[in-house]
Amino acid sequence: MKTVIIAVGIAAVVAAGGTFFALTMVHSQLNAKRAADNLTTAQETVQKQLDDFSSGIQRQLQSLAEVIGADKEFSLRILAENDRSAPAVTEMAAKFIGPMGFSVLEITDSSRMILSSGHFPASAGNKSMHPAGMLSKTPTVTMENIMGTPTLTMQAEYGFSIAEFNFYVTGGTVVDNKLLETLTPNSHVQLLLKNGDKYLGMENVSSISAITDNTIIINDKKYPATEIELPSSGKDLKISLIVMVK
């Protein structure tokens, strides 16, 4: 009788252990699915924020091109009088860079000579850093000379014409922590900007791994993470956003 009781007890313990193991596995799978779903949602939301931000740059440059194209004094000074040093020409970008919320803004002619610069006024009359075809209507990450300092920016370009003469407005924003905050959807998401082997967006990082199986390790702590590659213009620029769920 005792043997039967012991056997039944062992069977019960084994069954309970099996049930506990099964529940643990189910719980682990549910947690993994929840983490994956949260990461997918975060990535999609950040991508939409990025797309909306890029569209905003495009719309503002198009609007500015229309304003300049309709500005009679600008046309008079630049075309009829060929006076490129007139305030109506040189101060045009400075007048709009603030209201547009841009960090960089230039107006150039068809040969890419700078007519007006909002971020570096003294560069008027110099050649732009961006040759023909380097930028387009779609914003890309590119280097810009801001008061003599090479700076990472996100910019687009919009062309327009006055009396069959071609001009361009080029501009956008500095890529910095402020931009990352703009693109971050909520407090549960952390964004890092990866520029080669450099990272922006988190302080006191002593060690950081590559993303493997949707996981990144920062300072020996694991985070669900994925990567969004950003379009870039310029030699050797490889920029991406690391999307992490905290």
Side-chain angles (χ1 to χ4, degrees), residues 48-225:
K48 185 179 185 307
Q49 298 274 74
L50 182 61
D51 291 344
D52 290 346
F53 186 80
S54 296
S55 295
I57 292 177
Q58 289 177 290
R59 287 194 302 271
Q60 292 196 82
L61 287 176
Q62 181 179 358
S63 297
L64 178 60
E66 292 170 355
V67 168
I68 298 173
D71 190 295
K72 293 181 179 180
E73 189 173 2
F74 180 91
S75 301
L76 175 66
R77 299 289 181 255
I78 198 72
L79 296 180
E81 299 178 0
N82 194 27
D83 184 4
R84 294 178 170 231
S85 63
V89 176
T90 61
E91 296 176 5
M92 182 66 77
K95 183 167 64 173
F96 287 99
I97 188 171
M100 292 173 71
F102 279 13
S103 308
V104 290
L105 185 63
E106 280 183 356
I107 304 166
T108 61
D109 64 13
S110 59
S111 64
R112 306 298 166 145
M113 296 298 293
I114 300 172
L115 301 174
S116 178
S117 173
H119 60 279
F120 195 179
S123 65
N126 296 332
K127 199 81 170 178
S128 171
M129 286 185 63
H130 310 294
M134 183 175 180
L135 298 177
S136 68
K137 293 180 181 179
T138 301
T140 57
V141 178
T142 186
M143 296 302 297
E144 181 61 62
N145 179 11
I146 300 181
M147 301 300 289
T149 302
T151 306
L152 201 64
T153 63
M154 179 176 284
Q155 294 191 64
E157 178 180 88
Y158 199 91
F160 64 102
S161 61
I162 303 175
E164 299 184 358
F165 287 89
N166 294 326
F167 300 91
Y168 300 89
V169 285
T170 303
T173 186
V174 169
V175 177
D176 56 10
N177 283 314
K178 184 178 178 180
L179 176 59
L180 294 182
E181 291 173 5
T182 299
L183 300 176
T184 303
N186 57 60
S187 60
H188 300 294
V189 176
Q190 172 83 50
L191 293 186
L192 300 180
L193 183 84
K194 182 181 178 183
N195 180 8
D197 58 354
K198 298 177 182 178
Y199 293 84
L200 176 71
M202 181 181 284
E203 297 181 353
N204 303 318
V205 175
S206 58
S207 64
I208 186 167
S209 73
I211 296 176
T212 304
D213 296 329
N214 285 335
T215 300
I216 193 170
I217 303 174
I218 301 177
N219 297 342
D220 297 324
K221 185 175 180 179
K222 293 183 178 180
Y223 299 90

